[in-house]
Amino acid sequence: MKQDCNADQNQLTGFWFVLPALLFMAAFIGYPIVYNLILSFQDVGVMTLNNPVKEWVGYRNYLQLLGDPLLKTVLANTFYYTIACIVLQFSIGFALALLFNRSFRLAKSIRSLIMIAWLMPVTITGLIFKFIFSTNGGLINEFLLGLHWLSKPIEWLLQPSTAIWALIITNTWIGIPFNMILLITGLSTIPREVYESASIDGASPWQQFIHVTAPLLKPAIEAVLILGFIYTFKVFDLVYVMTKGGPVNATEVLSTFSYRLSFTEFSFSKGAAVANILFIVLFMVSLGYLRLIREEEGM
């Protein structure tokens, strides 16, 4: 009886500790999500924003968006940008993690310098790369022209075929340190004795990577890929600073499309609907990741 009373008292104490966090999440995360969901089912524009009663239109905004070819372009851009960034930054980050996991002179210093790319504000990085990719006086064009590999400057940010890749390269440069540091952390948890045993058994470096490193690093790899997908899929600031979704919607992604509908065209309800589509995709990815973690913990 006394143990039950102590358990209830501990649960009550725990609840009071958790309560501030729950109130914070309800006010600053839960309320905007619910309000945005309601807004997407209404017809709210610049003329009706201050009306006390908003017209309820049900799924009309979603149906209009699904019938708009631009949404398909935006979705294709978002997934193309995300997958290309994930593949590049994970591959390069993994290679650097394997390199800097070894002990050699200046390894820690170089690793710290690489982290600067991730620590810089995204808007600053976007402005720097906007200059690097600029047509006149840009670093890349000047370099290629100096080598006589180009006869005239390339309009990297003004052509649909190159603008999206300028964004992908910039975001990859930002994401490499994040991938590298998480994978190095995962590599540091693998006991050296496992590699020594594999070496004694005659395993080659490639066999050690396939049968030791990759399986034991699987949780870290999953975390890097999922977090990288979420971070990349909801990109806004980098695209807005470098291209603003242009040229000709070639770099328009869900977040910038939602912003344009809401604050350029003042169609707040359609902008909210696009934001909800973005939220649903990320929510499904997060649920999949949580399920994956539970399955691994249950093994």
Side-chain angles (χ1 to χ4, degrees):
M1 185 67 178
K2 187 177 179 180
Q3 289 181 346
D4 293 340
C5 290
N6 288 335
D8 292 340
Q9 185 65 33
N10 289 336
Q11 287 186 355
L12 184 62
T13 304
F15 171 76
W16 286 113
F17 274 108
V18 172
L19 183 61
L22 289 176
L23 292 175
F24 177 86
M25 291 181 66
F28 294 101
I29 298 177
Y31 174 72
I33 290 175
V34 173
Y35 181 80
N36 197 65
L37 184 63
I38 295 172
L39 185 63
S40 69
F41 291 109
Q42 296 175 331
D43 184 16
V44 180
V46 68
M47 301 299 292
T48 59
L49 181 62
N50 293 322
N51 288 356
V53 178
K54 310 289 192 305
E55 182 185 0
W56 187 267
V57 296
Y59 295 101
R60 192 179 75 184
N61 291 319
Y62 291 95
L63 293 176
Q64 289 179 348
L65 284 169
L66 290 175
D68 187 351
L70 181 56
L71 180 66
K72 296 176 183 176
T73 302
V74 169
L75 281 170
N77 289 342
T78 309
F79 277 101
Y80 182 76
Y81 168 82
T82 303
I83 292 171
C85 287
I86 294 295
V87 170
L88 288 175
Q89 65 192 24
F90 177 78
S91 303
I92 300 172
F94 201 172
L96 290 176
L98 292 172
L99 174 65
F100 288 109
N101 191 46
R102 298 175 177 272
S103 297
F104 60 90
R105 193 178 180 185
L106 299 178
K108 291 183 179 178
S109 301
I110 298 173
R111 195 167 67 189
S112 302
L113 287 174
I114 293 176
M115 288 303 297
I116 293 175
W118 186 66
L119 296 174
M120 285 178 64
V122 176
T123 50
I124 301 298
T125 303
L127 290 172
I128 292 173
F129 273 82
K130 190 174 182 179
F131 169 72
I132 291 174
F133 283 107
S134 62
T135 306
N136 298 317
L139 190 62
I140 294 178
N141 275 338
E142 290 298 320
F143 179 73
L144 295 176
L145 286 169
L147 294 175
H148 302 289
W149 288 358
L150 294 178
S151 58
K152 61 179 182 180
I154 296 177
E155 296 176 328
W156 297 100
L157 299 175
L158 300 178
Q159 296 179 7
S161 59
T162 54
I164 187 73
W165 274 101
L167 289 174
I168 290 169
I169 291 170
T170 307
N171 191 67
T172 299
W173 189 79
I174 296 171
I176 286 173
F178 175 76
N179 284 254
M180 181 192 72
I181 202 68
L182 288 186
L183 292 171
I184 285 178
T185 305
L187 287 170
S188 65
T189 63
I190 301 176
R192 293 290 176 189
E193 291 79 6
V194 180
Y195 289 105
E196 291 173 0
S197 300
S199 180
I200 292 171
D201 290 339
S204 65
W206 175 249
Q207 289 173 324
Q208 291 180 22
F209 175 77
I210 294 296
H211 299 292
V212 177
T213 305
L216 294 179
L217 201 59
K218 185 182 174 185
I221 292 174
E222 290 173 350
V224 167
L225 292 177
I226 296 295
L227 292 175
F229 182 91
I230 294 172
Y231 177 81
T232 309
F233 196 81
K234 64 183 180 64
V235 61
F236 173 78
D237 38 13
L238 185 65
V239 178
Y240 190 77
V241 167
M242 291 187 68
T243 63
K244 289 186 170 60
V248 201
N249 302 316
T251 60
E252 196 80 87
V253 292
L254 283 171
S255 57
T256 55
F257 186 42
S258 174
Y259 180 86
R260 195 179 85 183
L261 288 172
S262 297
F263 301 106
T264 303
E265 300 179 10
F266 301 109
S267 180
F268 299 110
S269 293
K270 283 188 178 179
V274 173
N276 285 330
I277 293 172
L278 174 63
F279 172 76
I280 289 169
V281 173
L282 294 180
F283 186 68
M284 296 300 291
V285 172
S286 301
L287 285 181
Y289 179 55
L290 291 174
R291 183 177 179 182
L292 203 62
I293 291 176
R294 287 179 183 172
E295 288 178 355
E296 289 179 352
E297 289 177 347
M299 290 176 63

